[in-house]
Amino acid sequence: MDFNIFKIVIFALLIVVYLFIRKFFKRIANFTEKLGQSETQERENEIKKLNTKITTLEQQINRKS
């Protein structure tokens, strides 16, 4: 009978360890997703700045011509 209790305890521990590992990898996935989103936002902002610079330079070239 002690052997059955031991199996139940080990099984419960495995479930708890599984849940902790799952939660850990979920946090890592969320963290990397946030990093990817911030990089795309920075790139979009940089593209907008470059587009405005291009338009101002085009206007300056047209005025000189």
Side-chain angles (χ1 to χ4, degrees):
M1 187 139 195
D2 291 332
F3 188 66
N4 290 334
I5 293 173
F6 181 72
K7 284 184 179 180
I8 293 171
V9 169
I10 293 296
F11 182 71
L13 283 174
L14 285 175
I15 291 174
V16 170
V17 169
Y18 169 76
L19 293 175
F20 279 123
I21 290 172
R22 186 174 171 188
K23 188 174 183 180
F24 173 74
F25 281 114
K26 188 174 183 179
R27 285 185 181 177
I28 290 174
N30 289 338
F31 177 72
T32 55
E33 183 179 358
K34 288 178 184 177
L35 283 178
Q37 288 177 352
S38 67
E39 288 179 7
T40 56
Q41 290 174 353
E42 291 174 3
R43 288 182 184 168
E44 288 175 0
N45 290 337
E46 189 173 345
I47 289 171
K48 288 178 184 177
K49 289 179 185 177
L50 291 174
N51 283 334
T52 55
K53 286 183 182 181
I54 289 171
T55 55
T56 55
L57 289 173
E58 285 177 346
Q59 290 173 356
Q60 288 177 357
I61 290 172
N62 289 335
R63 289 181 191 163
K64 290 182 180 180
S65 298

